[in-house]
Amino acid sequence: MDRQTVGSTPRGRLRVDVRNEGSSAVVTPAGELDHHTADLLREPLEEAVSQGRARLVVDCSQLEFCDSTGLNVLLGARLKAEAAGGGVHLAGMRPVVARVFQITGAEAVFTVHDSLESALAD
């Protein structure tokens, strides 16, 4: 296997951007969220809450894949955000990612929005 192919380096498979928008921290993961890349999302989510941003909006529109480890990162962030008086809002999920939430029933514990704009307006 060619070690230089896409996906051979965990940090190359997921990028995470964070910005503040009003009272929310908007976190945008792009790429594949799995057991190799989960900490790349976990750390900025936890940092946002520790900095007083308890309302987390995760823009999933660029998320191409999410496994159970990624789901657990989001569930953990939800618990920390709710303990701080906020919550986690998921926005713009692609069908392949939304399916993971449907199968596991996790969509019932998150506030899910069709778009980032509607998540920020809520």
Side-chain angles (χ1 to χ4, degrees), residues 27-58:
V27 181
T28 305
E32 299 176 8
L33 177 57
D34 59 27
H35 69 282
H36 294 293
T37 61
D39 285 339
L40 297 174
L41 181 59
R42 179 182 292 113
E43 291 167 4
L45 289 170
E46 289 178 355
E47 187 173 329
V49 173
S50 72
Q51 292 177 350
R53 297 280 179 173
R55 187 177 193 277
L56 305 174
V57 176
V58 181

Short mmCIF file of all heavy atoms in Angstrom, two decimals, residues 27-58:
data_model
loop_
_atom_site.label_atom_id
_atom_site.label_comp_id
_atom_site.label_asym_id
_atom_site.label_seq_id
_atom_site.Cartn_x
_atom_site.Cartn_y
_atom_site.Cartn_z
N VAL A 27 -18.41 24.95 14.72
CA VAL A 27 -17.32 24.01 14.50
C VAL A 27 -17.63 23.26 13.21
O VAL A 27 -18.70 22.67 13.06
CB VAL A 27 -17.20 23.02 15.69
CG1 VAL A 27 -16.06 22.05 15.48
CG2 VAL A 27 -17.03 23.79 16.99
N THR A 28 -16.68 23.33 12.26
CA THR A 28 -16.90 22.72 10.95
C THR A 28 -15.85 21.65 10.68
O THR A 28 -14.71 21.97 10.32
CB THR A 28 -16.84 23.79 9.83
OG1 THR A 28 -17.77 24.83 10.14
CG2 THR A 28 -17.18 23.19 8.48
N PRO A 29 -16.23 20.37 10.87
CA PRO A 29 -15.32 19.30 10.50
C PRO A 29 -15.47 19.00 9.01
O PRO A 29 -16.59 18.99 8.49
CB PRO A 29 -15.79 18.12 11.36
CG PRO A 29 -17.25 18.39 11.60
CD PRO A 29 -17.41 19.89 11.56
N ALA A 30 -14.36 18.78 8.33
CA ALA A 30 -14.39 18.47 6.90
C ALA A 30 -13.55 17.22 6.66
O ALA A 30 -12.38 17.18 7.02
CB ALA A 30 -13.85 19.64 6.09
N GLY A 31 -14.19 16.20 6.10
CA GLY A 31 -13.48 14.96 5.81
C GLY A 31 -14.11 13.79 6.53
O GLY A 31 -15.33 13.68 6.61
N GLU A 32 -13.26 12.91 7.06
CA GLU A 32 -13.69 11.67 7.68
C GLU A 32 -13.49 11.72 9.19
O GLU A 32 -12.38 11.93 9.66
CB GLU A 32 -12.91 10.50 7.10
CG GLU A 32 -13.10 10.32 5.61
CD GLU A 32 -12.24 9.21 5.03
OE1 GLU A 32 -11.60 8.47 5.80
OE2 GLU A 32 -12.22 9.09 3.81
N LEU A 33 -14.57 11.49 9.93
CA LEU A 33 -14.53 11.46 11.38
C LEU A 33 -14.62 10.01 11.83
O LEU A 33 -15.66 9.37 11.68
CB LEU A 33 -15.68 12.29 11.95
CG LEU A 33 -15.84 12.32 13.46
CD1 LEU A 33 -14.57 12.82 14.14
CD2 LEU A 33 -17.04 13.18 13.84
N ASP A 34 -13.50 9.49 12.32
CA ASP A 34 -13.47 8.10 12.77
C ASP A 34 -12.50 7.96 13.94
O ASP A 34 -12.05 8.96 14.49
CB ASP A 34 -13.09 7.16 11.61
CG ASP A 34 -11.74 7.47 10.99
OD1 ASP A 34 -10.86 8.03 11.68
OD2 ASP A 34 -11.55 7.15 9.80
N HIS A 35 -12.18 6.73 14.32
CA HIS A 35 -11.34 6.54 15.50
C HIS A 35 -9.93 7.09 15.33
O HIS A 35 -9.27 7.39 16.32
CB HIS A 35 -11.32 5.06 15.92
CG HIS A 35 -10.59 4.15 14.99
ND1 HIS A 35 -11.13 3.70 13.81
CD2 HIS A 35 -9.35 3.63 15.08
CE1 HIS A 35 -10.26 2.93 13.20
NE2 HIS A 35 -9.17 2.87 13.93
N HIS A 36 -9.48 7.28 14.12
CA HIS A 36 -8.15 7.85 13.88
C HIS A 36 -8.15 9.38 14.00
O HIS A 36 -7.13 9.98 14.31
CB HIS A 36 -7.63 7.49 12.49
CG HIS A 36 -7.37 6.03 12.31
ND1 HIS A 36 -6.37 5.37 12.98
CD2 HIS A 36 -7.99 5.10 11.56
CE1 HIS A 36 -6.37 4.10 12.63
NE2 HIS A 36 -7.35 3.91 11.78
N THR A 37 -9.29 10.01 13.73
CA THR A 37 -9.34 11.47 13.66
C THR A 37 -10.20 12.11 14.74
O THR A 37 -10.32 13.33 14.80
CB THR A 37 -9.87 11.91 12.28
OG1 THR A 37 -11.20 11.38 12.10
CG2 THR A 37 -8.97 11.43 11.15
N ALA A 38 -10.80 11.31 15.60
CA ALA A 38 -11.78 11.81 16.58
C ALA A 38 -11.23 12.91 17.47
O ALA A 38 -11.93 13.88 17.77
CB ALA A 38 -12.31 10.65 17.42
N ASP A 39 -9.97 12.80 17.89
CA ASP A 39 -9.41 13.82 18.79
C ASP A 39 -9.29 15.18 18.11
O ASP A 39 -9.30 16.21 18.78
CB ASP A 39 -8.04 13.39 19.32
CG ASP A 39 -8.16 12.32 20.39
OD1 ASP A 39 -9.24 12.20 21.00
OD2 ASP A 39 -7.17 11.59 20.62
N LEU A 40 -9.19 15.18 16.79
CA LEU A 40 -9.11 16.45 16.07
C LEU A 40 -10.41 17.25 16.19
O LEU A 40 -10.41 18.47 16.05
CB LEU A 40 -8.79 16.22 14.59
CG LEU A 40 -7.44 15.57 14.31
CD1 LEU A 40 -7.31 15.26 12.82
CD2 LEU A 40 -6.30 16.47 14.77
N LEU A 41 -11.52 16.56 16.45
CA LEU A 41 -12.79 17.24 16.69
C LEU A 41 -13.05 17.41 18.19
O LEU A 41 -13.54 18.44 18.63
CB LEU A 41 -13.95 16.47 16.04
CG LEU A 41 -15.33 17.09 16.21
CD1 LEU A 41 -15.38 18.51 15.62
CD2 LEU A 41 -16.40 16.22 15.57
N ARG A 42 -12.71 16.39 18.97
CA ARG A 42 -12.97 16.43 20.41
C ARG A 42 -12.30 17.65 21.06
O ARG A 42 -12.94 18.36 21.84
CB ARG A 42 -12.45 15.16 21.08
CG ARG A 42 -12.68 15.15 22.59
CD ARG A 42 -12.12 13.91 23.27
NE ARG A 42 -12.89 12.73 22.87
CZ ARG A 42 -12.40 11.74 22.12
NH1 ARG A 42 -11.15 11.76 21.70
NH2 ARG A 42 -13.16 10.70 21.80
N GLU A 43 -11.06 17.89 20.73
CA GLU A 43 -10.31 18.97 21.39
C GLU A 43 -10.93 20.35 21.17
O GLU A 43 -11.14 21.09 22.14
CB GLU A 43 -8.85 18.93 20.95
CG GLU A 43 -8.14 17.70 21.50
CD GLU A 43 -6.78 17.43 20.86
OE1 GLU A 43 -6.34 18.25 20.02
OE2 GLU A 43 -6.18 16.40 21.21
N PRO A 44 -11.27 20.76 19.94
CA PRO A 44 -11.87 22.09 19.80
C PRO A 44 -13.27 22.19 20.40
O PRO A 44 -13.67 23.26 20.87
CB PRO A 44 -11.89 22.34 18.29
CG PRO A 44 -11.62 21.05 17.65
CD PRO A 44 -10.94 20.17 18.65
N LEU A 45 -14.02 21.10 20.42
CA LEU A 45 -15.34 21.13 21.05
C LEU A 45 -15.19 21.36 22.55
O LEU A 45 -15.88 22.21 23.13
CB LEU A 45 -16.10 19.83 20.78
CG LEU A 45 -16.61 19.62 19.36
CD1 LEU A 45 -17.13 18.21 19.17
CD2 LEU A 45 -17.67 20.64 18.99
N GLU A 46 -14.28 20.62 23.18
CA GLU A 46 -14.06 20.78 24.62
C GLU A 46 -13.49 22.16 24.94
O GLU A 46 -13.87 22.77 25.94
CB GLU A 46 -13.14 19.67 25.13
CG GLU A 46 -13.81 18.32 25.15
CD GLU A 46 -12.90 17.20 25.62
OE1 GLU A 46 -11.69 17.43 25.86
OE2 GLU A 46 -13.40 16.07 25.74
N GLU A 47 -12.61 22.65 24.09
CA GLU A 47 -12.03 23.97 24.31
C GLU A 47 -13.09 25.07 24.23
O GLU A 47 -13.09 26.01 25.02
CB GLU A 47 -10.93 24.24 23.30
CG GLU A 47 -10.18 25.52 23.57
CD GLU A 47 -8.98 25.70 22.67
OE1 GLU A 47 -8.37 24.70 22.26
OE2 GLU A 47 -8.66 26.87 22.37
N ALA A 48 -14.00 24.94 23.29
CA ALA A 48 -15.07 25.94 23.16
C ALA A 48 -15.90 26.00 24.43
O ALA A 48 -16.20 27.08 24.93
CB ALA A 48 -15.95 25.62 21.94
N VAL A 49 -16.26 24.85 24.96
CA VAL A 49 -17.06 24.82 26.19
C VAL A 49 -16.26 25.39 27.35
O VAL A 49 -16.78 26.18 28.15
CB VAL A 49 -17.56 23.39 26.50
CG1 VAL A 49 -18.25 23.33 27.86
CG2 VAL A 49 -18.51 22.90 25.41
N SER A 50 -14.98 25.03 27.45
CA SER A 50 -14.16 25.55 28.56
C SER A 50 -13.96 27.06 28.46
O SER A 50 -13.72 27.72 29.47
CB SER A 50 -12.81 24.82 28.61
OG SER A 50 -11.99 25.22 27.54
N GLN A 51 -14.10 27.61 27.27
CA GLN A 51 -13.98 29.06 27.08
C GLN A 51 -15.32 29.78 27.22
O GLN A 51 -15.43 30.96 26.92
CB GLN A 51 -13.37 29.37 25.72
CG GLN A 51 -11.93 28.96 25.59
CD GLN A 51 -11.36 29.21 24.21
OE1 GLN A 51 -12.08 29.53 23.26
NE2 GLN A 51 -10.06 29.06 24.08
N GLY A 52 -16.36 29.04 27.66
CA GLY A 52 -17.65 29.66 27.90
C GLY A 52 -18.61 29.63 26.73
O GLY A 52 -19.68 30.24 26.79
N ARG A 53 -18.27 28.94 25.67
CA ARG A 53 -19.16 28.79 24.52
C ARG A 53 -19.91 27.47 24.66
O ARG A 53 -19.51 26.45 24.12
CB ARG A 53 -18.37 28.79 23.20
CG ARG A 53 -17.65 30.06 22.93
CD ARG A 53 -18.61 31.06 22.37
NE ARG A 53 -17.94 32.32 22.11
CZ ARG A 53 -18.51 33.31 21.50
NH1 ARG A 53 -19.75 33.21 21.09
NH2 ARG A 53 -17.88 34.44 21.31
N ALA A 54 -21.00 27.47 25.39
CA ALA A 54 -21.74 26.24 25.65
C ALA A 54 -22.72 25.88 24.54
O ALA A 54 -23.22 24.78 24.49
CB ALA A 54 -22.48 26.33 26.98
N ARG A 55 -22.99 26.82 23.64
CA ARG A 55 -23.86 26.53 22.49
C ARG A 55 -22.96 26.21 21.32
O ARG A 55 -22.31 27.09 20.76
CB ARG A 55 -24.76 27.70 22.16
CG ARG A 55 -25.79 27.35 21.08
CD ARG A 55 -26.75 28.53 20.82
NE ARG A 55 -27.88 28.10 20.04
CZ ARG A 55 -27.88 27.99 18.71
NH1 ARG A 55 -26.80 28.25 18.01
NH2 ARG A 55 -28.98 27.60 18.08
N LEU A 56 -22.91 24.93 20.98
CA LEU A 56 -22.05 24.46 19.90
C LEU A 56 -22.89 24.13 18.68
O LEU A 56 -23.85 23.38 18.76
CB LEU A 56 -21.29 23.20 20.34
CG LEU A 56 -20.48 23.30 21.62
CD1 LEU A 56 -19.90 21.94 21.99
CD2 LEU A 56 -19.37 24.33 21.46
N VAL A 57 -22.52 24.72 17.56
CA VAL A 57 -23.16 24.40 16.29
C VAL A 57 -22.13 23.67 15.44
O VAL A 57 -21.08 24.23 15.13
CB VAL A 57 -23.66 25.67 15.56
CG1 VAL A 57 -24.23 25.31 14.19
CG2 VAL A 57 -24.70 26.40 16.41
N VAL A 58 -22.42 22.42 15.13
CA VAL A 58 -21.50 21.62 14.32
C VAL A 58 -22.05 21.60 12.90
O VAL A 58 -23.10 21.03 12.63
CB VAL A 58 -21.34 20.19 14.88
CG1 VAL A 58 -20.35 19.40 14.03
CG2 VAL A 58 -20.89 20.24 16.34
#
